[in-house]
Amino acid sequence: RLVRTCLNLGSYNYLGFADDWDATCKSSVLSVLSHQNLPSSVSSPRAECGTTTLHAALEAVVASFLRKDDAVVLNMGFNTNATVLPALATRGDLIVSDELNHTSIVNGARASGAAIRTFAHNDAADLEGILREAIVWGRPRTRRPWSRILVVVEGIYSMEGEHCDLRNIVDVCKKYGAYVYLDEAHSIGAMGDTGRGCCEYSGVDPREVDVLMGTFTKSFGGMGGYVAGDRAVIGFLRRECAGTLYHNSLSPVVCQQILRSFEVIMGRDGTDTGQRKLTALRDNSNYFRMRLTDMGLHVLGHYDSPIMPVMLYNPTKIAAFSRECLKRGLAVVVVGFPAVPILMSRARFCISAGHTREDLDRALVELEEIADLLKLRYARSTFG
């Protein structure tokens, strides 16, 4: 069996906890098993016997970090959206969703029974038009007003590398009395001066966003998701959300991993490691994006985003790009239909604080060669 060591440019290891785990997290995480006498799994949903002191501590830290009243944690990021949205919205409600929202949001919205409309990606003006029309016309046939309107957006769009125009979207929602649901799966821990996500980056007070959702799989080296909001909303979700009623509880070991990551990010470990990670992630991301752009590649997204989609366009280049990268020791993610439109194929790079400048420079040398081989310089020529 052939085993090849590759430079990882594809996984969501934004703050590098998967690289320096032995130094930053190991002793704290393993103490759960050796000193706190907690099991690796509680084998029960949160609503039954699945809540430990670590779950309560983690929810308190999440709420404090996000400056919300309360929070609830679930054992899977995808299922956080897929089970929370059906609890928050139902028949007689309207969900207005960004057209490029993640599949977990799409699935949750469809399962809710609410009516669904989409607005043009990251376009506050189009959102305003849809909200105005929804309020004027009300529900189909009866014309009764909607019970509630929930606008769902993401902090960073995972296939576009763009951050949300949150300030303008929140202003529109406040103007028309719509609730805001913000998915921060890719932005929490990766955006903002202290890692508090899209709200901090955009200058939006977290109290202006009704529901803050995020995951622990990207920046925290763990798994699972959270929802933070008003105490009444979180209490309702604990009673009604399928993710807390029926899904197995988050492992206490994973809870401790996430708690330790928060300690590092917030500087409560007595070091500046967290701030150095945040700075390294931003610097690495902007450096890599700048070099890819200078190379003549068509790079989507915004600066300060750790996600860099590079357009391949031609579907036949998907496998070719992946193979050429693997040959040169680069592990990358390539994306094609149906995840994106058939002629919008792309490669997606995810940059980490764990990457050194030497790692990135080595990758860029190889990508320069691949760009020539596969004719990918679409920013310079239609023919690449």
Side-chain angles (χ1 to χ4, degrees), residues 60-343:
V61 168
V62 169
S64 171
F65 185 72
L66 297 174
R67 298 175 181 134
K68 283 292 192 181
D69 293 345
D70 201 359
V72 61
V73 298
L74 297 92
N75 75 343
M76 183 179 174
F78 188 102
N79 279 354
T80 302
N81 280 330
T83 62
V84 166
L85 283 170
L88 292 177
T90 187
R91 186 178 178 85
D93 297 333
L94 174 65
I95 294 176
V96 183
S97 180
D98 188 289
E99 65 180 350
L100 296 183
N101 273 342
H102 190 263
T103 305
S104 60
I105 293 173
V106 174
N107 287 2
R110 288 175 176 170
S112 70
I116 303 168
R117 293 182 190 168
T118 59
F119 66 96
H121 174 56
N122 225 7
D123 188 336
D126 189 55
L127 171 62
E128 181 169 13
I130 288 173
L131 289 178
R132 186 188 297 118
E133 183 181 272
I135 291 169
V136 169
W137 288 102
R139 304 186 211 176
R141 293 188 299 276
T142 67
R143 301 304 175 199
R144 292 178 180 176
W146 298 101
S147 299
R148 66 177 69 85
I149 300 176
L150 181 64
V151 175
V152 186
V153 293
E154 296 186 40
I156 294 179
Y157 292 87
S158 60
M159 286 298 170
E160 313 304 316
E162 298 173 355
H163 53 73
C164 178
D165 183 15
L166 189 62
R167 178 69 274 165
N168 288 325
I169 285 174
V170 166
D171 287 346
V172 168
C173 291
K174 288 169 68 177
K175 179 178 178 181
Y176 291 95
Y179 297 100
V180 183
Y181 182 108
L182 176 62
D183 177 343
E184 294 226 72
H186 291 271
S187 51
I188 190 66
M191 290 181 72
D193 292 339
T194 62
R196 285 180 166 84
C198 195
C199 286
E200 182 177 49
Y201 186 84
S202 304
V204 174
D205 190 320
R207 288 172 295 186
E208 297 181 79
V209 179
D210 301 284
V211 181
L212 288 170
M213 174 271 173
T215 66
F216 301 123
T217 51
K218 281 80 175 174
S219 295
F220 300 91
M223 63 174 287
Y226 68 82
V227 178
D230 294 342
R231 202 171 302 280
V233 172
I234 301 305
F236 173 81
L237 290 176
R238 287 196 176 104
R239 296 189 305 272
E240 301 293 336
C241 175
T244 59
L245 292 174
Y246 307 117
H247 292 187
N248 195 45
S249 178
L250 198 62
S251 164
V253 177
V254 175
C255 286
Q256 185 59 38
Q257 165 65 35
I258 301 163
L259 282 166
R260 178 59 180 171
S261 298
F262 270 116
E263 286 180 5
V264 175
I265 292 168
M266 298 167 78
R268 293 179 179 176
D269 62 335
T271 72
D272 65 346
T273 301
Q275 193 56 53
R276 285 191 288 108
K277 283 177 175 289
L278 291 164
T279 301
L281 175 62
R282 183 175 60 250
D283 291 347
N284 285 348
S285 299
N286 290 341
Y287 174 74
F288 201 70
R289 179 179 292 277
M290 177 188 70
R291 290 289 305 278
L292 290 176
T293 303
D294 291 345
M295 209 180 288
L297 303 180
H298 189 176
V299 187
L300 301 186
H302 298 137
Y303 276 91
D304 294 336
S305 166
I307 300 173
M308 270 142 268
V310 171
M311 299 306 295
L312 306 177
Y313 293 112
N314 191 329
T316 63
K317 295 185 179 183
I318 298 172
F321 185 85
S322 181
R323 281 197 303 268
E324 293 299 330
C325 285
L326 183 60
K327 243 196 273 186
R328 293 163 173 79
L330 304 179
V332 302
V333 171
V334 287
V335 186
F337 182 81
V340 293
I342 196 163
L343 294 179

